[in-house]
Amino acid sequence: MPISGFPEWLPPQRMIEQFVLDKIRSTFELYGFAPLETRAVEPVETLLSKGETSKEIYLLRRLQEESATSDDQLGLHFDLTVPFARFVVENNGKLQFPFRRYQIQKVWRGERPQEGRYREFLQADIDVVNRDTLPFHFDTEMPLVIGDVFRSLPIPQAIIQVNNRKVCEGFYRGLGLPDTAQVLRTVDKLDKIGPDKVAAALVETAGATDAQAAACLKLAEISASDGSFVDRVRALGVTDPLLDEGLSELLQVVETAAEHAPGLVVAELKIARGLDYYTGTVYETQLRGYERFGSVCSGGRYETLASVGNTRFPGVGISIGVSRLLGILFGQNALTVSRSVPTCVVVAVPSEDKRSGCDRIATALRRRGIPTEVAPTAAKFGKQIQFADRRGIPYVWFPGSPDTVKDIRSGEQVEASAADWTPPAADLQPVVSAG
C-alpha cells in the first residue's frame, strides 16, 4: 500500500523525470559544475546545528540496536548543502578552489506531506565555495544557471525572487530591533499567516513596538524587477551600514539578471528563507500560474557553514526541488510524454520458429541506437500492432523478403533494411511536452 509522502512515479512519469534530470545535469555541466554524491547519513548533531528542527530528522538505526547515545546517532540528511559543507571540510586539501559542484540526490524530511511536498524527495543542487572569501559575482551567476535550466524544459515561466538578508538585518537593526534572527523567522511566515499575525508576533516575540512592526511589514511589501527597490527602501527612512551593503549586493543580482535574462529575477523583500545558515543573498523560485504552491527552487549565500580552524569556506548555492516541481506539474497534468515506454520499434514475430531471426533484426537496430523490442507472442499481426499502439510505439517491423516497416500512426509501410533504416529524429526517443 502507498506510504504518504514517499512518491513512486509510473514509468511515463519516471521517463519525464529522467528527461528533466538530463536537462538539469547538462546545464549544470555547461557552467562548469562538477558532479558529486555524498552519503545519505550524517551525525545528528551536525544536522541539528544547521537550523533544522529535530522533529523533521529521520534517525537511522538497526532494528535490534540498543538505544544509541546522542554522540553516535545518525540521521538521514534533510538537504544537500549541510553534507556538502562537511565534505568540503574533510577534503579541502584535495579540492581546487573555488570549487563548483552539483549534486542530484534524494533527501528526507519528516514533515506533513501535501501536494508537491514529500518526506522523501529528489533535489538538484549547485554550489560554489572558496577558501576565506568568495567574490560576490558568484551570487549573480546562480539565477542565470537556474534560468537556463527552466527555459530548457516545457514548463511555465520561472520567476526567481531574490532578497539579501543584510537588507533585512540592517533595516531591523537600524529600527532598533537587535534580535534580527527572530524578526527574520517571523517575517518569513508572512505568506502562511498574513500581515496582522506577523505584526502581533513581532510585538510578542521580538520586542517590537507597533510602529517598528509596521515598518518591518512596509519593507516586506517592496517588490521590483529593476533597481527601483533601492529608492523605496531609502524612503522608509532607516539607515544602517549593513543595510547599505545589502542594497548594493541585491542591486547587482537584479541588474545582472536584467541584462542576461530579462524578466527572470524580481527583488522581493519579504523573502527570508527558513534555514539559519544563510547570511546574504537568498533565492526562491515560483512558476507562473503555480504561485500558490510556493517555491520550487531556493538557496542563498552562507559565510560560516564550513570551517577548519581559522579557515572559512564561504559559499553560495541554489537547489531545485525536482520531486516538488514534478509532483505539482503531474498533479495538474501539465507534462506529457509521447509514449509510455522508450521503445521506438516492435519487431513482429510471424511464428515462434522465426523468433531467432526477429531477435537478430532487433539486435541490428539496437546496435545503431534504435530502441527496439521483439513482440512477446506470435499472435495475429493485428494483435501485435495493437500491442505497439497501446504503448505509443510508432513503428512495427515485419520480417520478410524484403523486410518492411510500418508507421502505425499514418499507416505508411515501406521496404527497409535493419542495416540502414533510421526513424525520423523526433520518433527515436519519447518526447516530453507541456500537457
Side-chain angles (χ1 to χ4, degrees), residues 16 28 43 49 69 79 81 91 95 155 162 168 192 235 238 260 262 267 277 301 410 415:
I16 293 171
F28 287 173
S49 67
T69 66
D79 76 354
T81 308
N91 294 280
L95 303 175
I155 63 175
V162 294
C168 301
K192 289 179 185 170
V238 175
H260 292 278
Y277 51 68
R301 160 74 73 136
S410 66
E415 290 185 14

Side-chain angles (χ1 to χ4, degrees), residues 62-125:
R62 288 180 295 118
L63 187 61
Q64 302 296 333
E65 188 176 336
E66 299 291 323
S67 59
T69 66
S70 58
D71 293 340
D72 56 9
Q73 280 190 327
L74 296 175
L76 294 171
H77 56 218
F78 59 80
D79 76 354
L80 298 177
T81 308
V82 171
F84 172 59
R86 188 263 313 152
F87 179 90
V88 168
V89 167
E90 290 180 4
N91 294 280
N92 71 91
K94 304 170 191 168
L95 303 175
Q96 299 294 319
F97 291 98
F99 179 46
R100 301 162 71 84
R101 82 83 178 85
Y102 73 88
Q103 268 178 268
I104 301 176
Q105 284 181 245
K106 291 279 182 74
V107 300
W108 295 267
R109 286 184 196 170
E111 50 186 7
R112 187 171 63 83
Q114 49 193 289
E115 189 169 13
R117 191 174 290 278
Y118 304 108
R119 294 189 283 181
E120 176 185 67
F121 52 99
L122 193 61
Q123 285 192 181
D125 282 29

Side-chain angles (χ1 to χ4, degrees), residues 9-60:
W9 307 134
L10 291 167
Q13 294 172 316
R14 176 62 176 150
M15 286 197 292
I16 293 171
E17 181 180 60
Q18 287 182 314
F19 166 82
V20 168
L21 292 175
D22 286 343
K23 292 289 188 184
I24 291 171
R25 188 182 299 109
S26 61
T27 305
F28 287 173
E29 292 186 356
L30 277 175
Y31 278 84
F33 291 90
L36 180 68
E37 183 164 311
T38 56
R39 66 198 186 204
V41 298
E42 297 292 335
V44 168
E45 59 186 350
T46 302
L47 298 174
L48 288 175
S49 67
K50 305 305 178 185
E52 191 66 1
T53 60
S54 58
K55 67 182 179 185
E56 292 188 353
I57 293 173
Y58 282 111
L59 285 182
L60 185 78

Side-chain angles (χ1 to χ4, degrees), residues 287-323:
L287 295 185
R288 197 175 287 285
Y290 291 79
E291 292 85 356
R292 68 189 182 280
F293 294 106
S295 180
V296 295
C297 173
S298 54
R301 160 74 73 136
Y302 45 90
E303 296 291 337
T304 56
L305 189 60
S307 60
V308 180
N310 293 326
T311 306
R312 287 186 310 131
F313 297 95
V316 62
I318 195 162
S319 170
I320 302 170
V322 180
S323 302

Side-chain angles (χ1 to χ4, degrees), residues 157-298:
Q157 182 187 1
I159 306 295
I160 302 178
Q161 301 173 319
V162 294
N163 195 6
N164 193 302
R165 281 200 171 180
K166 294 175 186 175
V167 171
C168 301
E169 291 179 27
F171 186 86
Y172 304 152
R173 224 163 58 179
L175 269 180
L177 293 171
D179 191 356
T180 56
Q182 180 58 45
V183 181
L184 266 174
R185 279 194 294 273
T186 307
V187 173
D188 196 38
K189 297 174 183 171
L190 200 50
D191 286 342
K192 289 179 185 170
I193 65 174
D196 293 344
K197 288 184 178 175
V198 165
L202 287 171
V203 172
E204 188 181 329
T205 65
T209 64
D210 288 342
Q212 288 170 325
C216 292
L217 291 173
K218 283 274 185 217
L219 180 74
E221 286 172 6
I222 295 174
S223 172
S225 56
D226 56 23
S228 62
F229 69 88
V230 176
D231 290 337
R232 292 173 64 189
V233 174
R234 298 271 185 233
L236 297 177
V238 175
T239 56
D240 185 89
L242 191 63
L243 173 61
D244 296 339
E245 193 180 319
L247 287 172
S248 170
E249 290 182 354
L250 186 54
L251 186 61
Q252 284 184 62
V253 175
V254 171
E255 289 185 337
T256 300
E259 179 185 345
H260 292 278
L264 175 66
V265 162
V266 174
E268 193 72 60
L269 271 59
K270 68 182 177 184
I271 301 298
R273 304 289 304 125
L275 294 168
D276 291 348
Y277 51 68
Y278 295 120
T279 55
T281 311
V282 286
Y283 316 95
E284 289 196 351
T285 308
Q286 294 186 340
L287 295 185
R288 197 175 287 285
Y290 291 79
E291 292 85 356
R292 68 189 182 280
F293 294 106
S295 180
V296 295
C297 173
S298 54

